[in-house]
Amino acid sequence: MINQGFSERRSSVGVDIDSVTVGGGAPIVVQSMTNTDTADVASTTKQVQQLAATGSELVRITVNNEDAARQVMPLREKLDALGCSVPLIGDFHYNGHQLLTKFPGCAEALAKYRINPGNVGFGRKKDSQFATMIEKAIEYDKPVRIGVNWGSLDQELATRLMDENAARAEPLDADSVMQEALIVSALSSAKRAEEIGLSRDKIILSCKVSGVQRLISVYRDLARRCDYALHLGLTEAGMGSKGIVASSTALGVLLQEGIGDTIRISLTPEPGGDRANEVIVAQEILQTMGLRSFTPLVTACPGCGRTTSTVFQELADNIQAYIRTRMPIWRDKYAGVEELNLAVMGCVVNGPGESKQADIGISLPGTGEAPSAPVFVDGKKVVTLRGDNIAAEFRQIVDDYIENRFGR
């Protein structure tokens, strides 16, 4: 992919998570999180498989109680037996120090631990409980994400900074103090982890908020003040188009500036919706920005009064779904197939021109045009399709092209 216009990546430290590297110049990593009960191994296995097959390179699971912790090792074993090697990240709050100590199989099976400094403990217990989790990470040679969140910020730290701000000659506004509290929480926790003995190349930081402009501001500041690998995500992004637009806007700005080494899109699934949609959105952000390639892209026109038929819409949807279905097979069989570009166009205005620019393109007839659909391959017209079987014939052309170009 062409990366012209992007700033240098800020993280110089690479963190190895099993077979996946985050930061240090490695490609930006896509991750997701299950919403099943981790103690239900069958349902969690099924969802992890689905997320991994869609393209999630890391999958986070909730480890919130003894039942969940007890099942992490069986979950890992079942996934391995099914050929699903995606690294599992344990998400801990409040009792992680106890669970990692009591269930060594859980501590060993996880590829990384996520620790929230705001929920690791309170009062005098906070430091010792944080230290226990870091010591377990060292014992089992696991990296840690220190993940600070706007909704669960360390209140003792926030109060102290608020009091210090109130004593200033020119106090900052409350949002600025809270932003500073987020960053200080992450950086001071990382410093403490290093003092305990966790190496810098085992630490990833995140500072998540739910507002677009605030997220951009927080991460710009955080990136200026450290060179740890950074995880990006707009927390509680929301449902449907709102969540997609908000996440894309915030992450697009930061990624353009070279900030971020791994991303997650925190979408609220619609009732009966597909959890894997958050993976697809993450991939499409990176691919449309030219940062990575995951699956062939389909260019399609929006339609207008010249395209009153829905044929081109149906074909574009058909091809997009076909590509998603075939990608798990193509990815293993055809190296580089994710770079393929397709065009499904709706009339003569831009259809032939756009089709010639794609690897494979089809220009369907608009209203009043002759009922024929010229197909272009590598910029040259190769065939004209007609009749009721255009979708199947075009899919066959795509299959043949992939075999001929990438099969070697």
Side-chain angles (χ1 to χ4, degrees):
M1 302 292 286
I2 297 173
N3 292 334
Q4 293 177 352
F6 293 98
S7 302
E8 280 293 318
R9 300 284 300 285
R10 294 190 183 276
S11 173
S12 62
V13 181
V15 179
D16 291 327
I17 306 170
D18 286 352
S19 59
V20 178
T21 300
V22 174
I28 297 166
V29 172
V30 171
Q31 62 179 277
S32 58
M33 185 175 184
T34 60
N35 61 357
T36 56
D37 180 355
T38 303
D40 182 347
V41 174
S43 62
T44 303
T45 298
K46 181 178 179 180
Q47 191 171 84
V48 171
Q49 281 186 296
Q50 178 197 23
L51 294 169
T54 305
S56 186
E57 294 157 303
L58 301 171
V59 175
R60 183 156 47 110
I61 60 174
T62 297
V63 188
N64 59 327
N65 55 41
E66 292 193 2
D67 287 341
R70 190 178 287 111
Q71 295 303 322
V72 170
M73 177 64 83
L75 171 64
R76 178 71 274 168
E77 291 173 345
K78 187 168 184 179
L79 288 166
D80 289 342
L82 293 168
C84 180
S85 59
V86 65
L88 296 177
I89 302 164
D91 193 61
F92 294 97
H93 298 274
Y94 309 112
N95 58 356
H97 60 293
Q98 296 172 337
L99 298 176
L100 288 171
T101 300
K102 187 172 181 178
F103 298 95
C106 169
E108 176 63 37
L110 293 169
K112 185 179 73 163
Y113 310 153
R114 186 276 174 116
I115 303 175
N116 182 342
N119 289 340
V120 76
F122 305 98
R124 290 177 296 177
K125 294 181 178 180
K126 180 176 66 175
D127 289 344
S128 64
Q129 291 175 183
F130 178 80
T132 296
M133 296 188 73
I134 297 300
E135 287 163 359
K136 289 301 174 183
I138 295 169
E139 178 182 350
Y140 292 99
D141 193 28
K142 305 295 182 180
V144 167
R145 171 160 73 92
I146 295 173
V148 184
N149 196 294
W150 186 263
S152 52
L153 186 58
D154 182 338
Q155 290 304 302
E156 183 179 335
L157 172 64
T159 299
R160 176 170 62 80
L161 292 183
M162 284 290 189
D163 290 343
E164 291 174 359
N165 181 63
R168 292 166 60 110
E170 297 182 8
L172 302 173
D173 63 85
D175 279 353
S176 296
V177 179
M178 291 295 282
Q179 175 171 320
E180 179 65 10
L182 283 166
I183 295 170
V184 169
S185 179
L187 294 179
S188 61
S189 297
K191 180 181 179 181
R192 178 59 183 143
E194 288 196 64
E195 290 172 349
I196 294 169
L198 189 66
S199 61
R200 181 170 287 258
D201 64 355
K202 295 289 186 182
I203 298 173
I204 297 172
L205 299 186
S206 66
C207 289
K208 290 189 175 183
V209 301
S210 57
V212 171
Q213 294 296 345
R214 181 59 62 188
L215 189 82
I216 293 169
S217 180
V218 167
Y219 272 93
R220 281 174 172 167
D221 198 357
L222 181 63
R224 282 194 295 267
R225 293 162 65 172
C226 75
D227 64 351
Y228 293 107
L230 300 181
H231 168 70
L232 297 187
L234 186 75
T235 192
E236 290 95 36
M239 182 181 287
S241 60
K242 184 270 178 182
I244 293 171
V245 171
S247 294
S248 301
T249 302
L251 269 61
V253 171
L254 292 167
L255 292 168
Q256 183 73 19
E257 296 178 6
I259 299 171
D261 302 285
T262 175
I263 67 172
R264 186 214 169 181
I265 308 302
S266 300
L267 296 180
T268 303
E270 297 182 3
D274 190 341
R275 186 69 169 180
N277 283 343
E278 67 176 48
V279 179
I280 294 171
V281 173
Q283 291 177 327
E284 289 180 347
I285 289 172
L286 295 177
Q287 187 152 355
T288 54
M289 290 187 69
L291 289 165
R292 286 192 66 182
S293 293
F294 296 96
T295 188
L297 289 178
V298 179
T299 299
C301 75
C304 66
R306 300 176 64 94
T307 55
T308 54
S309 168
T310 61
V311 173
F312 82 95
Q313 299 166 350
E314 293 163 357
L315 180 59
D317 183 64
N318 183 296
I319 294 301
Q320 190 96 13
Y322 180 67
I323 288 171
R324 283 284 172 193
T325 301
R326 298 291 295 170
M327 268 310 291
I329 299 171
W330 288 348
R331 191 181 295 117
D332 291 337
K333 189 175 180 181
Y334 302 114
V337 68
E338 63 275 3
E339 300 281 355
L340 184 68
N341 285 297
L342 306 175
V344 178
M345 304 300 293
C347 80
V348 73
V349 173
N350 292 316
E354 194 75 53
S355 296
K356 290 176 183 178
Q357 296 299 315
D359 296 310
I360 309 171
I362 185 169
S363 179
L364 293 160
T367 304
E369 295 177 15
S372 61
V375 176
F376 299 82
V377 175
D378 292 331
K380 298 179 180 179
K381 181 179 174 182
V382 295
V383 68
T384 298
L385 303 181
R386 296 181 174 86
D388 299 327
N389 205 31
I390 288 178
E393 292 175 4
F394 187 66
R395 287 198 303 268
Q396 186 61 53
I397 292 170
V398 172
D399 284 341
D400 292 343
Y401 182 90
I402 290 172
E403 176 62 37
N404 291 332
R405 177 175 170 182
F406 301 103
R408 296 190 295 271

CSV table of all heavy atoms in Angstrom, one decimal, residues 57-105:
chain,number,residue,atom,x,y,z
A,57,GLU,N,-6.7,-10.2,15.0
A,57,GLU,CA,-5.4,-10.7,15.2
A,57,GLU,C,-5.1,-11.0,16.7
A,57,GLU,O,-4.2,-11.7,17.1
A,57,GLU,CB,-4.3,-9.9,14.6
A,57,GLU,CG,-4.5,-9.8,13.1
A,57,GLU,CD,-3.8,-8.6,12.4
A,57,GLU,OE1,-4.2,-7.5,12.7
A,57,GLU,OE2,-2.9,-8.8,11.5
A,58,LEU,N,-5.9,-10.3,17.5
A,58,LEU,CA,-5.8,-10.5,19.0
A,58,LEU,C,-7.3,-10.5,19.4
A,58,LEU,O,-8.1,-9.7,18.9
A,58,LEU,CB,-5.1,-9.4,19.7
A,58,LEU,CG,-3.6,-9.2,19.3
A,58,LEU,CD1,-3.1,-7.9,20.0
A,58,LEU,CD2,-2.8,-10.4,19.8
A,59,VAL,N,-7.6,-11.4,20.4
A,59,VAL,CA,-9.0,-11.4,20.9
A,59,VAL,C,-9.0,-11.3,22.4
A,59,VAL,O,-8.3,-12.1,23.1
A,59,VAL,CB,-9.8,-12.7,20.5
A,59,VAL,CG1,-11.1,-12.7,21.1
A,59,VAL,CG2,-9.9,-12.7,19.0
A,60,ARG,N,-9.7,-10.3,23.0
A,60,ARG,CA,-9.7,-10.1,24.4
A,60,ARG,C,-10.9,-10.8,25.0
A,60,ARG,O,-12.0,-10.8,24.4
A,60,ARG,CB,-9.7,-8.7,24.7
A,60,ARG,CG,-9.7,-8.3,26.2
A,60,ARG,CD,-9.1,-6.9,26.4
A,60,ARG,NE,-9.7,-5.9,25.6
A,60,ARG,CZ,-10.5,-4.9,26.0
A,60,ARG,NH1,-10.8,-4.8,27.3
A,60,ARG,NH2,-10.9,-4.0,25.2
A,61,ILE,N,-10.8,-11.5,26.1
A,61,ILE,CA,-11.9,-12.1,26.8
A,61,ILE,C,-11.9,-11.6,28.3
A,61,ILE,O,-10.9,-11.2,28.9
A,61,ILE,CB,-11.7,-13.7,26.8
A,61,ILE,CG1,-10.4,-14.1,27.5
A,61,ILE,CG2,-11.7,-14.2,25.4
A,61,ILE,CD1,-10.2,-15.6,27.7
A,62,THR,N,-13.1,-11.6,28.8
A,62,THR,CA,-13.3,-11.2,30.2
A,62,THR,C,-12.9,-12.3,31.1
A,62,THR,O,-13.3,-13.5,31.0
A,62,THR,CB,-14.8,-10.9,30.4
A,62,THR,OG1,-15.2,-9.8,29.6
A,62,THR,CG2,-15.1,-10.5,31.9
A,63,VAL,N,-12.1,-12.0,32.1
A,63,VAL,CA,-11.8,-12.9,33.2
A,63,VAL,C,-12.2,-12.2,34.5
A,63,VAL,O,-11.4,-11.5,35.1
A,63,VAL,CB,-10.3,-13.3,33.2
A,63,VAL,CG1,-10.0,-14.4,34.2
A,63,VAL,CG2,-9.8,-13.7,31.8
A,64,ASN,N,-13.4,-12.4,34.9
A,64,ASN,CA,-14.0,-11.6,36.0
A,64,ASN,C,-14.3,-12.4,37.2
A,64,ASN,O,-14.6,-11.8,38.3
A,64,ASN,CB,-15.3,-11.0,35.5
A,64,ASN,CG,-16.3,-12.0,35.0
A,64,ASN,OD1,-16.0,-13.0,34.5
A,64,ASN,ND2,-17.6,-11.7,35.2
A,65,ASN,N,-14.2,-13.7,37.2
A,65,ASN,CA,-14.4,-14.5,38.4
A,65,ASN,C,-13.7,-15.9,38.3
A,65,ASN,O,-13.1,-16.2,37.3
A,65,ASN,CB,-15.9,-14.7,38.6
A,65,ASN,CG,-16.6,-15.3,37.4
A,65,ASN,OD1,-16.1,-16.2,36.7
A,65,ASN,ND2,-17.8,-14.8,37.1
A,66,GLU,N,-13.9,-16.7,39.3
A,66,GLU,CA,-13.2,-18.0,39.3
A,66,GLU,C,-13.6,-18.9,38.2
A,66,GLU,O,-12.8,-19.6,37.6
A,66,GLU,CB,-13.3,-18.6,40.7
A,66,GLU,CG,-12.6,-17.8,41.8
A,66,GLU,CD,-12.4,-18.6,43.1
A,66,GLU,OE1,-12.9,-19.8,43.1
A,66,GLU,OE2,-11.8,-18.1,44.0
A,67,ASP,N,-14.9,-18.9,37.9
A,67,ASP,CA,-15.4,-19.8,36.9
A,67,ASP,C,-14.8,-19.4,35.5
A,67,ASP,O,-14.4,-20.3,34.8
A,67,ASP,CB,-16.9,-19.7,36.8
A,67,ASP,CG,-17.7,-20.3,37.9
A,67,ASP,OD1,-17.0,-21.2,38.6
A,67,ASP,OD2,-18.8,-20.0,38.2
A,68,ALA,N,-14.7,-18.1,35.2
A,68,ALA,CA,-14.0,-17.7,34.0
A,68,ALA,C,-12.6,-18.1,34.0
A,68,ALA,O,-12.1,-18.6,33.0
A,68,ALA,CB,-14.2,-16.2,33.8
A,69,ALA,N,-11.9,-17.8,35.1
A,69,ALA,CA,-10.4,-18.1,35.1
A,69,ALA,C,-10.2,-19.6,35.0
A,69,ALA,O,-9.2,-20.0,34.3
A,69,ALA,CB,-9.9,-17.5,36.4
A,70,ARG,N,-11.0,-20.4,35.6
A,70,ARG,CA,-10.8,-21.8,35.5
A,70,ARG,C,-11.0,-22.4,34.1
A,70,ARG,O,-10.4,-23.4,33.8
A,70,ARG,CB,-11.9,-22.5,36.4
A,70,ARG,CG,-11.7,-24.0,36.7
A,70,ARG,CD,-12.7,-24.5,37.6
A,70,ARG,NE,-12.5,-24.0,39.0
A,70,ARG,CZ,-13.3,-23.2,39.7
A,70,ARG,NH1,-14.3,-22.7,39.1
A,70,ARG,NH2,-13.0,-22.8,40.9
A,71,GLN,N,-11.7,-21.7,33.3
A,71,GLN,CA,-12.0,-22.2,31.9
A,71,GLN,C,-11.1,-21.6,30.9
A,71,GLN,O,-11.2,-22.0,29.7
A,71,GLN,CB,-13.5,-21.9,31.5
A,71,GLN,CG,-14.5,-22.6,32.4
A,71,GLN,CD,-14.3,-24.1,32.4
A,71,GLN,OE1,-14.0,-24.7,31.3
A,71,GLN,NE2,-14.5,-24.7,33.5
A,72,VAL,N,-10.2,-20.7,31.2
A,72,VAL,CA,-9.3,-20.1,30.2
A,72,VAL,C,-8.4,-21.2,29.6
A,72,VAL,O,-8.2,-21.2,28.4
A,72,VAL,CB,-8.5,-19.0,30.8
A,72,VAL,CG1,-7.4,-18.5,29.8
A,72,VAL,CG2,-9.4,-17.8,31.2
A,73,MET,N,-7.8,-22.0,30.4
A,73,MET,CA,-6.9,-23.1,29.8
A,73,MET,C,-7.7,-24.0,28.9
A,73,MET,O,-7.3,-24.3,27.8
A,73,MET,CB,-6.2,-23.8,31.0
A,73,MET,CG,-5.3,-25.0,30.5
A,73,MET,SD,-3.9,-24.4,29.4
A,73,MET,CE,-2.8,-24.0,30.8
A,74,PRO,N,-8.8,-24.6,29.4
A,74,PRO,CA,-9.6,-25.4,28.5
A,74,PRO,C,-10.0,-24.7,27.2
A,74,PRO,O,-10.1,-25.3,26.1
A,74,PRO,CB,-10.9,-25.8,29.3
A,74,PRO,CG,-10.4,-25.7,30.7
A,74,PRO,CD,-9.4,-24.6,30.7
A,75,LEU,N,-10.3,-23.4,27.3
A,75,LEU,CA,-10.7,-22.6,26.1
A,75,LEU,C,-9.5,-22.6,25.1
A,75,LEU,O,-9.7,-22.8,23.9
A,75,LEU,CB,-11.1,-21.2,26.5
A,75,LEU,CG,-11.3,-20.2,25.4
A,75,LEU,CD1,-12.4,-20.6,24.5
A,75,LEU,CD2,-11.5,-18.8,26.0
A,76,ARG,N,-8.3,-22.3,25.7
A,76,ARG,CA,-7.1,-22.2,24.8
A,76,ARG,C,-6.9,-23.6,24.2
A,76,ARG,O,-6.5,-23.7,23.0
A,76,ARG,CB,-5.9,-21.8,25.7
A,76,ARG,CG,-4.6,-21.7,25.0
A,76,ARG,CD,-4.4,-20.6,24.0
A,76,ARG,NE,-5.0,-20.9,22.7
A,76,ARG,CZ,-5.2,-19.9,21.8
A,76,ARG,NH1,-5.0,-18.7,22.1
A,76,ARG,NH2,-5.6,-20.3,20.6
A,77,GLU,N,-7.0,-24.7,24.9
A,77,GLU,CA,-6.8,-26.0,24.4
A,77,GLU,C,-7.8,-26.3,23.3
A,77,GLU,O,-7.4,-27.0,22.3
A,77,GLU,CB,-6.8,-27.0,25.5
A,77,GLU,CG,-5.6,-26.9,26.5
A,77,GLU,CD,-5.8,-27.8,27.7
A,77,GLU,OE1,-6.9,-28.3,27.9
A,77,GLU,OE2,-4.8,-28.0,28.4
A,78,LYS,N,-9.0,-26.0,23.5
A,78,LYS,CA,-10.0,-26.3,22.5
A,78,LYS,C,-9.8,-25.5,21.2
A,78,LYS,O,-9.9,-26.0,20.1
A,78,LYS,CB,-11.4,-26.0,23.0
A,78,LYS,CG,-12.5,-26.4,22.1
A,78,LYS,CD,-13.9,-26.4,22.8
A,78,LYS,CE,-15.0,-26.9,21.9
A,78,LYS,NZ,-16.3,-26.9,22.5
A,79,LEU,N,-9.4,-24.2,21.3
A,79,LEU,CA,-9.1,-23.4,20.2
A,79,LEU,C,-7.9,-24.0,19.4
A,79,LEU,O,-7.9,-24.1,18.2
A,79,LEU,CB,-8.8,-22.0,20.6
A,79,LEU,CG,-10.0,-21.2,21.0
A,79,LEU,CD1,-9.6,-19.9,21.7
A,79,LEU,CD2,-10.9,-20.8,19.8
A,80,ASP,N,-6.9,-24.4,20.1
A,80,ASP,CA,-5.7,-25.0,19.5
A,80,ASP,C,-6.1,-26.3,18.7
A,80,ASP,O,-5.6,-26.5,17.6
A,80,ASP,CB,-4.6,-25.3,20.5
A,80,ASP,CG,-4.0,-24.0,21.1
A,80,ASP,OD1,-4.1,-22.9,20.4
A,80,ASP,OD2,-3.4,-24.1,22.2
A,81,ALA,N,-6.9,-27.1,19.3
A,81,ALA,CA,-7.3,-28.3,18.7
A,81,ALA,C,-8.1,-28.1,17.4
A,81,ALA,O,-8.1,-28.9,16.5
A,81,ALA,CB,-8.2,-29.2,19.7
A,82,LEU,N,-8.8,-26.9,17.4
A,82,LEU,CA,-9.5,-26.6,16.2
A,82,LEU,C,-8.7,-25.8,15.2
A,82,LEU,O,-9.2,-25.4,14.1
A,82,LEU,CB,-10.8,-25.7,16.6
A,82,LEU,CG,-11.8,-26.5,17.4
A,82,LEU,CD1,-12.8,-25.5,18.0
A,82,LEU,CD2,-12.5,-27.5,16.5
A,83,GLY,N,-7.4,-25.6,15.5
A,83,GLY,CA,-6.5,-24.9,14.5
A,83,GLY,C,-6.7,-23.4,14.6
A,83,GLY,O,-6.2,-22.7,13.7
A,84,CYS,N,-7.2,-22.9,15.7
A,84,CYS,CA,-7.4,-21.4,15.9
A,84,CYS,C,-6.3,-20.9,16.9
A,84,CYS,O,-6.5,-21.1,18.1
A,84,CYS,CB,-8.8,-21.1,16.4
A,84,CYS,SG,-9.1,-19.3,16.6
A,85,SER,N,-5.3,-20.3,16.4
A,85,SER,CA,-4.1,-20.0,17.2
A,85,SER,C,-4.1,-18.5,17.7
A,85,SER,O,-3.1,-18.0,18.2
A,85,SER,CB,-2.8,-20.3,16.5
A,85,SER,OG,-2.7,-19.5,15.3
A,86,VAL,N,-5.2,-17.8,17.5
A,86,VAL,CA,-5.3,-16.4,17.8
A,86,VAL,C,-4.9,-16.2,19.3
A,86,VAL,O,-5.4,-16.9,20.1
A,86,VAL,CB,-6.7,-15.8,17.5
A,86,VAL,CG1,-7.8,-16.4,18.3
A,86,VAL,CG2,-6.6,-14.3,17.6
A,87,PRO,N,-4.0,-15.2,19.6
A,87,PRO,CA,-3.7,-15.0,21.0
A,87,PRO,C,-4.9,-14.4,21.8
A,87,PRO,O,-5.7,-13.6,21.3
A,87,PRO,CB,-2.6,-13.9,20.9
A,87,PRO,CG,-2.0,-14.0,19.5
A,87,PRO,CD,-3.2,-14.4,18.7
A,88,LEU,N,-5.0,-14.9,23.0
A,88,LEU,CA,-6.1,-14.5,23.9
A,88,LEU,C,-5.6,-13.5,24.9
A,88,LEU,O,-4.5,-13.8,25.6
A,88,LEU,CB,-6.7,-15.7,24.6
A,88,LEU,CG,-7.4,-16.7,23.8
A,88,LEU,CD1,-7.9,-17.9,24.6
A,88,LEU,CD2,-8.6,-16.1,23.0
A,89,ILE,N,-6.3,-12.4,25.1
A,89,ILE,CA,-5.9,-11.4,26.1
A,89,ILE,C,-6.9,-11.5,27.3
A,89,ILE,O,-8.1,-11.4,27.0
A,89,ILE,CB,-5.9,-10.0,25.5
A,89,ILE,CG1,-5.0,-9.9,24.3
A,89,ILE,CG2,-5.6,-8.9,26.5
A,89,ILE,CD1,-5.2,-8.7,23.4
A,90,GLY,N,-6.4,-11.5,28.5
A,90,GLY,CA,-7.3,-11.5,29.7
A,90,GLY,C,-7.6,-10.1,30.1
A,90,GLY,O,-6.7,-9.3,30.4
A,91,ASP,N,-8.9,-9.8,30.3
A,91,ASP,CA,-9.3,-8.5,30.7
A,91,ASP,C,-9.7,-8.6,32.2
A,91,ASP,O,-10.6,-9.3,32.6
A,91,ASP,CB,-10.6,-8.1,29.9
A,91,ASP,CG,-10.9,-6.6,30.1
A,91,ASP,OD1,-10.0,-5.7,29.8
A,91,ASP,OD2,-12.0,-6.3,30.6
A,92,PHE,N,-8.9,-7.9,33.1
A,92,PHE,CA,-9.0,-8.0,34.5
A,92,PHE,C,-9.5,-6.7,35.2
A,92,PHE,O,-8.9,-5.7,34.8
A,92,PHE,CB,-7.7,-8.5,35.1
A,92,PHE,CG,-7.2,-9.9,34.7
A,92,PHE,CD1,-6.3,-10.0,33.7
A,92,PHE,CD2,-7.7,-11.0,35.4
A,92,PHE,CE1,-5.9,-11.3,33.4
A,92,PHE,CE2,-7.3,-12.3,35.0
A,92,PHE,CZ,-6.4,-12.4,34.0
A,93,HIS,N,-10.4,-6.8,36.1
A,93,HIS,CA,-10.8,-5.7,36.9
A,93,HIS,C,-11.0,-6.2,38.3
A,93,HIS,O,-11.6,-7.2,38.6
A,93,HIS,CB,-12.1,-5.1,36.4
A,93,HIS,CG,-11.9,-4.5,35.0
A,93,HIS,ND1,-11.5,-3.2,34.7
A,93,HIS,CD2,-12.2,-5.1,33.8
A,93,HIS,CE1,-11.4,-3.0,33.4
A,93,HIS,NE2,-11.9,-4.2,32.8
A,94,TYR,N,-10.5,-5.4,39.3
A,94,TYR,CA,-10.8,-5.6,40.7
A,94,TYR,C,-10.1,-6.8,41.3
A,94,TYR,O,-9.4,-6.7,42.4
A,94,TYR,CB,-12.3,-5.7,41.0
A,94,TYR,CG,-13.1,-4.6,40.4
A,94,TYR,CD1,-14.0,-4.8,39.4
A,94,TYR,CD2,-13.0,-3.3,40.9
A,94,TYR,CE1,-14.8,-3.8,38.8
A,94,TYR,CE2,-13.7,-2.3,40.3
A,94,TYR,CZ,-14.6,-2.5,39.3
A,94,TYR,OH,-15.3,-1.5,38.8
A,95,ASN,N,-10.2,-8.0,40.7
A,95,ASN,CA,-9.7,-9.2,41.4
A,95,ASN,C,-8.6,-9.9,40.5
A,95,ASN,O,-8.4,-11.1,40.8
A,95,ASN,CB,-10.8,-10.2,41.7
A,95,ASN,CG,-11.6,-10.6,40.4
A,95,ASN,OD1,-11.4,-10.1,39.3
A,95,ASN,ND2,-12.6,-11.4,40.6
A,96,GLY,N,-8.0,-9.3,39.6
A,96,GLY,CA,-7.0,-9.9,38.7
A,96,GLY,C,-5.8,-10.5,39.5
A,96,GLY,O,-5.3,-11.6,39.2
A,97,HIS,N,-5.4,-9.8,40.6
A,97,HIS,CA,-4.3,-10.3,41.4
A,97,HIS,C,-4.6,-11.7,42.0
A,97,HIS,O,-3.8,-12.6,42.1
A,97,HIS,CB,-4.0,-9.3,42.5
A,97,HIS,CG,-5.1,-9.0,43.4
A,97,HIS,ND1,-6.2,-8.4,43.1
A,97,HIS,CD2,-5.2,-9.3,44.8
A,97,HIS,CE1,-7.0,-8.3,44.1
A,97,HIS,NE2,-6.4,-8.8,45.1
A,98,GLN,N,-5.9,-11.9,42.4
A,98,GLN,CA,-6.3,-13.1,43.0
A,98,GLN,C,-6.4,-14.2,42.0
A,98,GLN,O,-6.0,-15.3,42.2
A,98,GLN,CB,-7.6,-12.9,43.7
A,98,GLN,CG,-7.6,-12.0,44.9
A,98,GLN,CD,-9.0,-11.7,45.5
A,98,GLN,OE1,-10.0,-11.8,44.7
A,98,GLN,NE2,-9.1,-11.2,46.7
A,99,LEU,N,-7.0,-13.9,40.8
A,99,LEU,CA,-7.3,-14.9,39.8
A,99,LEU,C,-6.0,-15.4,39.2
A,99,LEU,O,-5.8,-16.6,38.9
A,99,LEU,CB,-8.2,-14.3,38.7
A,99,LEU,CG,-9.6,-14.0,39.2
A,99,LEU,CD1,-10.4,-13.3,38.1
A,99,LEU,CD2,-10.3,-15.2,39.8
A,100,LEU,N,-5.1,-14.5,38.9
A,100,LEU,CA,-3.8,-14.9,38.3
A,100,LEU,C,-3.0,-15.7,39.3
A,100,LEU,O,-2.2,-16.6,38.9
A,100,LEU,CB,-3.0,-13.7,37.9
A,100,LEU,CG,-3.6,-13.0,36.6
A,100,LEU,CD1,-2.8,-11.7,36.4
A,100,LEU,CD2,-3.4,-13.9,35.4
A,101,THR,N,-3.1,-15.5,40.6
A,101,THR,CA,-2.4,-16.3,41.6
A,101,THR,C,-3.0,-17.6,41.8
A,101,THR,O,-2.3,-18.6,41.9
A,101,THR,CB,-2.4,-15.5,42.9
A,101,THR,OG1,-1.7,-14.2,42.7
A,101,THR,CG2,-1.6,-16.3,44.0
A,102,LYS,N,-4.3,-17.7,41.9
A,102,LYS,CA,-5.0,-18.9,42.2
A,102,LYS,C,-5.1,-19.9,41.0
A,102,LYS,O,-5.2,-21.1,41.2
A,102,LYS,CB,-6.4,-18.6,42.7
A,102,LYS,CG,-7.2,-19.8,43.2
A,102,LYS,CD,-8.5,-19.5,43.9
A,102,LYS,CE,-9.2,-20.7,44.4
A,102,LYS,NZ,-10.5,-20.3,45.1
A,103,PHE,N,-5.1,-19.3,39.8
A,103,PHE,CA,-5.3,-20.2,38.6
A,103,PHE,C,-4.0,-20.0,37.7
A,103,PHE,O,-4.1,-19.3,36.7
A,103,PHE,CB,-6.5,-19.8,37.9
A,103,PHE,CG,-7.8,-20.0,38.7
A,103,PHE,CD1,-8.4,-19.0,39.4
A,103,PHE,CD2,-8.3,-21.3,38.8
A,103,PHE,CE1,-9.5,-19.2,40.2
A,103,PHE,CE2,-9.5,-21.5,39.5
A,103,PHE,CZ,-10.1,-20.5,40.3
A,104,PRO,N,-3.0,-20.7,38.0
A,104,PRO,CA,-1.8,-20.6,37.1
A,104,PRO,C,-2.0,-21.1,35.7
A,104,PRO,O,-1.3,-20.6,34.8
A,104,PRO,CB,-0.8,-21.6,37.8
A,104,PRO,CG,-1.6,-22.5,38.7
A,104,PRO,CD,-2.8,-21.7,39.1
A,105,GLY,N,-3.0,-22.0,35.5
A,105,GLY,CA,-3.3,-22.4,34.1
A,105,GLY,C,-3.8,-21.2,33.3
A,105,GLY,O,-3.5,-21.0,32.1
